[in-house]
Amino acid sequence: MRRRAGRQRSDIRRAHAATLTRHGYPITADQLLQRFLGVSDREARLIIENEMGRELPVDFETQVKATTLQFHAGDLKAIANVAEAIAAIALPKCVASSGTPEKVRHGLDCANLYDVLAPHIFSATQVKRGKPAPDLFLFAAEQMRAAPGRCLVIEDSVPGVTGARTAGMTVLGFHGGSHCQRPRRHAARRRRGGDV
């Protein structure tokens, strides 16, 4: 997606970290990225609650959204040439994201990609298990009426690579987003997750 899509993700990570810290789970945005990149919000929340020994507030996501608004105001920009590259692909395409539908919609809207990819946008909230399980990729393939073995996944996270490979799909690693601050190191981590 776009380069400053990474800026928006960074703001969301900072907001998540700040909100978790306020609720007694001290963590930095960098630690959050390292531990939970590619993991669905639901899975991450279960891990955190298990480690805390208690549940987060019911309105936790609302608190995160409010904090995120403090960190950014429409600062998301596209990675150069991504929209053109997507438009040039004459085959069916979709999004299969660990984010909530609202988060995915916001990111795609800010990057001017929502209309290019809608309505084929799928979220981990639609399946039982998020990445690194293969469920989301298999669900997306089913919705797109595509055999998993004929699907190509472009992924920027180790859990995503693992999930796509487990689903029997070919994976290309992507490290063009600003969240991949050390491209070689990030690429090496993805390779350990599967053949990319």
Side-chain angles (χ1 to χ4, degrees):
M1 227 193 314
R2 298 184 138 182
R3 180 169 186 93
R4 288 176 61 192
R7 175 66 179 270
Q8 187 237 10
R9 288 192 198 105
S10 174
D11 289 340
I12 292 171
R13 281 195 305 274
R14 287 171 56 210
H16 260 100
T19 309
L20 284 169
T21 299
R22 278 200 311 271
H23 287 290
Y25 188 85
I27 191 167
T28 67
D30 287 342
Q31 290 168 335
L32 195 70
L33 175 65
Q34 186 175 2
R35 284 201 64 197
F36 299 112
L37 177 66
V39 176
S40 73
D41 290 347
R42 182 177 60 204
E43 298 291 326
R45 182 170 180 150
L46 288 173
I47 292 167
I48 290 166
E49 289 178 338
N50 184 54
E51 291 176 4
M52 291 176 68
R54 60 184 167 80
E55 293 183 0
L56 289 164
V58 177
D59 68 340
F60 178 77
E61 287 302 323
T62 302
Q63 294 180 34
V64 171
K65 287 176 185 174
T67 306
T68 301
L69 290 176
Q70 297 171 13
F71 291 146
H72 80 283
D75 196 32
L76 192 58
K77 303 281 186 207
I79 294 174
N81 305 314
V82 166
E84 294 82 358
I86 292 171
I89 299 171
L91 299 169
K93 47 198 167 278
C94 70
V95 173
S97 174
S98 292
T100 62
E102 298 79 16
K103 188 189 293 185
V104 176
R105 172 75 190 246
H106 176 72
L108 292 174
D109 275 341
C110 290
N112 295 319
L113 292 174
Y114 183 80
D115 291 336
V116 175
L117 295 162
H120 307 297
I121 299 170
F122 309 108
S123 162
T125 61
Q126 295 175 278
V127 294
K128 184 175 181 181
R129 300 176 302 164
K131 303 172 188 178
D135 303 26
L136 178 58
F137 293 111
L138 294 172
F139 175 75
E142 181 182 355
Q143 298 302 305
M144 298 298 291
R145 297 186 177 152
R150 293 185 55 83
C151 294
L152 171 67
V153 175
I154 300 172
E155 253 301 335
D156 65 351
S157 74
V158 173
V161 170
T162 302
R165 294 293 295 161
T166 304
M169 300 175 178
T170 300
V171 187
L172 291 179
F174 176 76
H175 57 86
S178 63
H179 64 289
C180 307
Q181 297 167 359
R182 296 180 181 160
R184 288 185 183 167
R185 185 175 176 191
H186 192 69
R189 288 185 65 219
R190 281 195 316 277
R191 282 192 195 93
R192 287 195 296 274
D195 299 328
V196 221

